[in-house]
Every structure is written in C-alpha cells, then in structure tokens.
Amino acid sequence: MEDRNRQEQASPEVQARVRASFDSQGLMGHLGARITHIAPGRVHIVLPGRPEVTQQHGYFHAGATSAVADSAGGYAAFTLFPENTEVLTVEYKINLLAPAVGDHIEAVGTVLKSGRTLTVCQLEVFGVQDSGRKLVANGQQTLIRVDRTPGR
Amino acid sequence: MEDRNRQEQASPEVQARVRASFDSQGLMGHLGARITHIAPGRVHIVLPGRPEVTQQHGYFHAGATSAVADSAGGYAAFTLFPENTEVLTVEYKINLLAPAVGDHIEAVGTVLKSGRTLTVCQLEVFGVQDSGRKLVANGQQTLIRVDRTPGR
Amino acid sequence: MEDRNRQEQASPEVQARVRASFDSQGLMGHLGARITHIAPGRVHIVLPGRPEVTQQHGYFHAGATSAVADSAGGYAAFTLFPENTEVLTVEYKINLLAPAVGDHIEAVGTVLKSGRTLTVCQLEVFGVQDSGRKLVANGQQTLIRVDRTPGR
Amino acid sequence: MEDRNRQEQASPEVQARVRASFDSQGLMGHLGARITHIAPGRVHIVLPGRPEVTQQHGYFHAGATSAVADSAGGYAAFTLFPENTEVLTVEYKINLLAPAVGDHIEAVGTVLKSGRTLTVCQLEVFGVQDSGRKLVANGQQTLIRVDRTPGR
C-alpha cells in the first residue's frame, strides 16, 4: 500500500506551487530539509542527520523533528487548496515516541479531514537507517486556509 | 510580578548544568538561540529574527518557534531535577496564536507540575519589537526524567 | 486577584444566552454539572462528586473532568461572540496532573486569544475539598465561531 | 483488514481484567457505554445516542465522545500490561472532525507505542448509523503504567 501511495503524484501545477512555497521557507533550507514526495493530501520531507540538527544526546532535536513534521502537514493540506490561498498552522501536538536516530528522518504529513476552513492532518516521523525505518514521532495538526487578498 | 520573577535565579550549579546541556544542542546554536534566564522551574530562550528561521511569509517558522519553546520547557523541568538525571520530551502541543514577527522571539518554559517521573510545563512564546511584546504561541508539554546510567 | 475577577460578570443578555445553551446540553445535566460564574471571556463550571462520574479507582473520570473543562472553555469563548453565532470545539488537549479527588471539581475556561474565526482557551480544573483547592488538570482548546443560518 | 483485526481477541484473563475494571467505572455505566471488543492493544467501546449524552445542538457532546475515547485508549494500553499494574491517563488531545451524529458512536483505542513506563495510543471515534460509519473524532493519548502497591 505504501508503494501504491508513493506512486500517486499531485498535478504538476500543485507540485510547482508547493515547491515554490517550500523553497521560500528559510528554515527548511537552513536545516537542510528537502521535499521528496508530493501526493494529493500527502507530503514527505526528508532531513539528513548532522550536528546542526541535534539535541544534547546527539539525537535529532525534537524541534527539528517537529519543524519538518509541521511543514509536511502544512504542505499536505496545501495540495488540496485552490489557487490564491495560503495555509497557516493553527496548532499541533506531537509525541516523541523514541530517540530520533538515523541517517535521516522522514516526515510524512497526511490529510485526515479537509474542510472549507480547517484541515486536520496526521503527522508521522520515521528514523531511517540501513537497518530499517522506525516511527519516532507521531502527531496531529490543525491548519487554516486563508484567502490571499488580491493585490498583495 | 514579571520583575520579581526575573530576579530569581537558579543556583550556580544548576545554571552551569543547564548551560552545558544547552551548549551541546547543535540545533540551538545553528538557529542562533541563546538562554537568557534560568530560574528554578522557569527558563527563557531568545531567538533573533533572520532569514534562516522564517517560513514562506517571512514570519518565524512554527518549527523554529516550537523548537525554542520545547527547549525552554525542557530546561525549566531540568532545573528541578537532581544531578545525574536527564530530561526527555514526551510530547507537546502548541497553538500558533498570531504571526510570529519581531526583532526576536522569547520562549518561556514554566513548570506547572513537577512529579517524580513526569513534569508538565507551560510554554509561551512572545514576539518582541520596539513597539512591545505580544504572545504569539502558547503550549503545554510533558517531560520525563531519566536516571543516567552510571558509567555511561 | 481571583476575588476581583470573580466579581466581574458578563452582561445579563450574555449570561442568559450562555445559560440557555448550557441548559440544553443533555450531558451537563446528566452529569450533575452547573455553571457557577460567567464573566467576559471566563466561565466556571462545578461538578459534584458522586459514583456516577468516577473511574475505576473512585476518582473523577478523566472523561468527566474533560467534559466540564471543554464546556467551560466553549462558553468562555461564547461570551465574547456576537448574537446569532454558535461555538464548536475544534480540538483540545488536556493533562491530568493529579488524581481528581474532592467534594467537587471546578472547571475554569479562560479565553487566551479571541479571533474572528478561531478562539483559543486555557482550561483548568481544580479538585475542591475542605482542605483546599488543587489544580488536577490543565489544558488548551481551540474553538470555531459559526454564524447561525437565518431561519434555522 | 478490519475483519481480521476484529477476530483477534485478548486472552480470557486479560478480557476479564479489562471488564472488571470497566464495570467499576461509574461514569461508563452512567453514560450507557459498553465494551464491544478487546484485542491485544486494541479496545472498542460503544455509546448509544440518547438525550443524556448530547450538547446544545443534539449531537454527542465532545465530553461524551472524549470520555469513551479516553477509556478505549486506556484499556487498549491495559491489555498489554502485566498483572498487578494499573493504567492512568497522562494526557490526550482530540480533534472533533465532524458533528458526532448516529445511532451510536464507537470509540477505538489502539496502542501505537508500548514502553515500560509510558504507552501512546491512537484514538478514533466513529458515528455509526444505517447509512454508514464516519470518523467524527481523532486523537492521541499518553498513558502511564503504575505498579499496584502490594496490600493495597
């Protein structure tokens, strides 16, 4: 099922819109994160491990884990929005289930419920290394759609 | 009241313990965050604004806001722990109340309940500029105390 | 300060609107909860202890604690809404800080941020007995304002 | 997959332990909730619709929805605990995704991560009527295992 889902791709227009927004997020570039998959209602972001994203024990910092999870959920919601709209995070909650270790972490945001105003996403973060892929964080996020004021 | 609280300081030993741990968090240095106040059960962290910490509209990224909030709460809990223990974030929830703008943001973590195993903190983040100080995010966090294995 | 706040009262119109809505909540009556204070942006609800609201150890059930906390927050938001609107809970998060024991529990919902569409409330629940008043749960809630369709 | 999972059953001992605890929860009986399925790491609770569990618009009250979700998650965790232990909810977060309507609601608690001290569960609540089954709430919960003091 993962494979089937992986093959789904958002339309080229939506992908371009998501990538343009992602590229304008200073934080994502600064952390070294990149978008690896854009499906309708689902976005994957990968963050490679390096000292700049760690906490005091050398694991990925919960803040880095959450930052990519938040962005993955935000863009997952955004793939379902019409043009000339923007997405803002209202709130999220995340459980850090296990030390986030690995060559990289992969955050997956998936739309659970898409409403006219509010969207709710599931957030998952996996630690990935040669030996496998392990769920290290799991969360839930609420987002709001904002219509872009014409002329802005 | 803020002023009175500001004057409280954790003991030099606790302050040294907190600063040593903070300095070993690669992410905090990479973002440019610094600890500005360490009281018993309360820690303040400041993050100056710059392009490296923004989202697509130029505000502080929710991930950066959360990262400093999470660290402020973690160290607030840590100030009340005995020696040879460590702190791990179990989970947190944060509401982004307003666009996080300002010369810098200030995260304040405050212990609400300190138990033997679990600690619960309140997280507040303020956007600070010449014109004033505004609450931009508010959250709640659960942390666990881990005894450091001797010899590790 | 508690005393000063206690003296604030919402306008008679707002109080009537809140009480009418509360009285139409079957669950609140079934649990035995009652509203004890309605201020602008703050509502108190009391739930007396009795076997019908307990969990397996005889404490107040987390579900009962949350139910009154959710209602207190919802009505706190509602006090600031214009006429012909309704309030719906989008989500909430609650930490159960201590066993909820007492003659009764008192839930206090307080508006943290009131926006045009979304309102964020702080939720506190206290266990109250002769020996004093103790914080037993603390949470955070997001609510949405819904305009009532004319003619409904 | 649902069908396969449905067929799994916890051992008779575990089922008896869960049912004994559930039956001692005054709130569950008072609301009219009953356990309908006990699998290892997963518990289903059903709450029939009636005026006693509604909010002001006649839907299931968020407090009732959360109460059964919290119990379903708590007992899901409990199925994996050894004898002479107890389970306490540390915190949970729940999104109310849609008006909770139906002949009954069904809460499903599923263990996501089972640790020595802490367990994390996913919470789902479905509104069920002739026309089908719809996800009306989704949440995430942290629980703690407490060893029962001998002689208590």
Side-chain angles (χ1 to χ4, degrees), chain B residues 103 127-134:
Chain B
D103 297 325
V128 184
Q129 42 196 346
D130 285 348
S131 56
R133 196 165 175 264
K134 183 182 177 181

Side-chain angles (χ1 to χ4, degrees), chain C residues 3-4 19 29 36 52 57 76 91 108 110 113-114 128 137 144 148:
Chain C
D3 286 345
R4 188 181 59 77
R19 288 188 193 281
T36 54
E52 284 84 352
H57 309 123
E91 61 83 38
V108 181
T110 307
K113 165 80 192 302
S114 178
V128 185
I144 191 165
R148 201 180 292 160

Side-chain angles (χ1 to χ4, degrees), chain B residues 84-113:
Chain B
N84 293 316
T85 56
E86 288 172 358
V87 61
L88 289 173
T89 300
V90 172
E91 61 83 38
Y92 67 87
K93 179 256 206 288
I94 192 162
N95 275 73
L96 291 316
L97 302 174
V101 291
D103 297 325
H104 63 269
I105 54 175
E106 183 185 27
V108 181
T110 307
V111 173
L112 269 181
K113 165 79 192 302

